[in-house]
Amino acid sequence: MATVNKNLSVYDKATIPNAKDFRFGIVVSEWNDTITEGLYQGAIETLLDCGAKEENVIRWNVPGSFELTYGAKKMINTQKVDAVIAIGSVIKGETMHFEFVCEATAQGIMDLNVGTDTPVIFCVLTDNTMDQAIARSGGEHGNKGTEAAIAAIKMVHLGR
Ligand SMILES: Nc1c(NC[C@H](O)[C@H](O)[C@H](O)CO)[nH]c(=O)[nH]c1=O
Ligand SMILES: CC(=O)[C@@H](O)COP(=O)(O)O
């Protein structure tokens, strides 16, 4: 189902585990920061709405989405977090750089999920236009940051 048919911000709190005892890391790319700040707001508001304590959420910034993998890895290795949310916005330009950044970032985050015991949530928008990014970071299609926060809570709860 495409995003246009599913609002990213809709969730039923009755189906979400309480996150009061969970610790989260959030790594935020500074590229396209108007978009990534919107994604961060969606994520932090949802974590708190689902019971997480503000003092149990650690935020780090990295230069771009390509650096999200390293930031998440360092977060896992140095902070006692139960899950990491990796937030980025990659927008197509004139060259192939978009494809390489998207592929490397997705693969790097997947590698962390396979290689560590800490879930890392892929909250990276990969849009053709700024309008698509705006629509998915608190616009007409909701906020992928909200979706990512819900995924993080569910993954921490998995197997508990
Ligand atoms: N063009 C975008 C980038 N490019 C920067 C890379 O992510 C990386 O920081 C650089 O190649 C140095 O390693 N990053 C985004 O997050 N979004 C873009 O649209
Ligand atoms: C995703 C990117 O790196 C891209 O926005 C850079 O733009 P360009 O391909 O025009 O150099």
Side-chain angles (χ1 to χ4, degrees):
M1 180 191 292
T3 299
V4 291
N5 302 315
K6 170 185 168 25
N7 188 292
L8 295 165
S9 295
V10 173
Y11 62 93
D12 177 2
K13 266 180 83 170
T15 69
I16 311 299
N18 190 305
K20 66 182 177 62
D21 298 322
F22 299 169
R23 286 176 54 81
F24 299 95
I26 306 182
V27 185
V28 185
S29 162
E30 294 170 339
W31 253 83
N32 298 319
D33 60 353
T34 57
I35 301 300
T36 58
E37 289 304 325
L39 294 171
Y40 173 76
Q41 282 307 316
I44 189 68
E45 287 168 8
T46 304
L47 290 174
L48 299 179
D49 182 50
C50 293
K53 302 184 181 88
E54 203 155 352
E55 61 267 26
N56 287 342
V57 183
I58 305 168
R59 173 179 170 163
W60 287 352
N61 289 353
V62 293
S65 292
F66 189 85
E67 285 74 36
L68 286 171
T69 299
Y70 179 84
K73 182 187 73 171
K74 190 174 181 78
M75 179 79 77
I76 291 167
N77 291 341
T78 64
Q79 308 298 315
K80 293 187 185 312
V81 293
D82 297 306
V84 176
I85 300 172
I87 292 179
S89 167
V90 192
I91 298 175
K92 178 72 180 151
E94 295 177 344
T95 72
M96 286 284 291
H97 199 237
F98 171 84
E99 283 79 2
F100 288 103
V101 170
C102 292
E103 173 63 29
T105 303
Q107 188 61 55
I109 288 168
M110 177 51 71
D111 289 347
L112 290 175
N113 280 285
V114 172
T116 77
D117 287 333
T118 303
V120 183
I121 307 304
F122 185 69
C123 186
V124 180
L125 292 178
T126 54
D127 300 295
N128 294 308
T129 65
M130 178 60 80
D131 284 347
Q132 288 178 352
I134 291 167
R136 290 157 175 80
S137 56
E140 64 179 311
H141 298 317
N143 194 318
K144 196 153 191 72
T146 300
E147 178 196 49
I150 297 300
I153 293 168
K154 288 181 174 180
M155 291 310 289
V156 174
H157 184 70
L158 194 69
R160 285 203 176 196

